Amino acid sequence: MELQFTITPEHTQLRVNELLEQEMLKDDQLQARLLGHITRLQDRLLAPLLFLLGLAGGMLAIYFPAREFSPQKLISMALFGVIFVVFWWCYSGRLLSHLRKRMANNRANVRMPFRRVNQRLIESNLRIRLKATEGAYRLQFDDQGFILTNTRAKGAKSELAWAQIVRLKVTPDFYSIACAKLDREGKAYHIPKRSDVMDSEQYQQGLELFLSRVPASAALKPAS
């Protein structure tokens, strides 16, 4: 039995739209993990960093511009250190709370433009990768398995036995079929639900026969 179909730019756009949401979800999860790590690091370092900067700044202000140590300077440094520690003990909580809120707001304001840039990059990469699959295809199958041939790509062929199929996923426009290796890589063979080079009824009958050969273990799974 043989089925013929084409993967068109319109199909590519449909797949880009479908995969973009999934890829953006993965990117959001990655960004959330990175942001959480950075936030925890900032929270741990913010208090000691501000304390050391304030203490060192005060000491240096007393030391300069004469650039020499004297009993008076040493006493002044000691007094400043005591006063600074008391001040830090009393007011650092409110200061740190205010700074953390400002930092959180700044991260939120920066994230949206950055997310739009990521979305454009991801969409562009998806379109480049999926455009390579455009072309005319011939799907031949028998009791042993199927052969999928790209007739416009110098007859490039892919062959799979029925027993090798581990996943059959349904999307609004495609049936996606994968063996274990392709499934681990997040790849699949994509067969359109409609053909623009065959009679619609003949194509649907052939497609139903093709799907009936798929092992029950690879039950129809709606796209997630």
Side-chain angles (χ1 to χ4, degrees), residues 17 28 84 95 101 112 114 123 127-128 133 147 166 169 176 192 211 219:
N17 294 339
D28 286 342
F84 182 79
L95 174 64
K101 288 180 181 178
M112 288 308 297
F114 187 68
E123 184 175 359
R127 182 168 284 105
I128 291 172
T133 65
I147 299 174
V166 299
K169 185 173 69 173
S176 300
L211 295 173

Side-chain angles (χ1 to χ4, degrees), residues 18-183:
E18 173 193 341
L19 293 175
L20 182 60
E21 183 177 352
Q22 300 175 16
E23 293 299 318
M24 287 303 299
L25 178 59
K26 293 179 183 177
D27 185 71
D28 286 342
Q29 292 172 342
L30 175 61
Q31 294 296 328
R33 288 195 296 269
L34 290 175
L35 184 59
H37 177 72
I38 292 172
T39 300
R40 289 190 295 271
L41 186 62
Q42 287 177 337
D43 285 343
R44 285 197 296 266
L45 295 180
L46 182 61
L49 182 61
L50 286 180
F51 179 82
L52 291 175
L53 286 176
L55 185 61
M59 296 296 184
L60 289 174
I62 295 172
Y63 176 71
F64 287 101
R67 298 186 182 182
E68 62 179 18
F69 287 106
S70 64
Q72 291 82 4
K73 279 191 175 183
L74 292 175
I75 293 172
S76 297
M77 287 181 176
L79 287 174
F80 171 77
V82 172
I83 294 171
F84 182 79
V85 169
V86 172
F87 177 85
W88 181 264
W89 181 268
C90 295
Y91 299 104
S92 62
R94 277 180 284 180
L95 174 64
L96 292 172
S97 177
H98 175 72
L99 288 176
R100 287 184 177 117
K101 288 180 181 178
R102 291 290 300 273
M103 291 164 63
N105 291 335
N106 289 337
R107 283 194 294 265
N109 292 335
V110 170
R111 189 177 181 187
M112 288 308 297
F114 187 68
R115 188 178 190 275
R116 286 193 290 269
V117 171
N118 276 358
Q119 180 173 337
R120 287 195 291 269
L121 289 174
I122 291 172
E123 184 175 359
S124 177
N125 289 335
L126 284 173
R127 182 168 284 105
I128 291 172
R129 176 165 61 87
L130 296 179
K131 194 171 181 63
T133 65
E134 292 178 4
Y137 288 85
R138 183 170 63 249
L139 177 64
Q140 299 168 297
F141 60 94
D142 54 25
D143 292 339
Q144 283 71 47
F146 69 86
I147 299 174
L148 184 63
T149 306
N150 187 335
T151 59
R152 295 183 187 174
K154 298 181 180 179
K157 293 183 179 181
S158 300
E159 187 172 353
L160 202 63
W162 299 118
Q164 293 177 284
I165 298 175
V166 299
R167 178 170 61 85
L168 174 58
K169 185 173 69 173
V170 184
T171 70
D173 300 281
F174 291 94
Y175 292 104
S176 300
I177 295 175
C179 60
K181 182 176 182 294
L182 290 177
D183 198 34

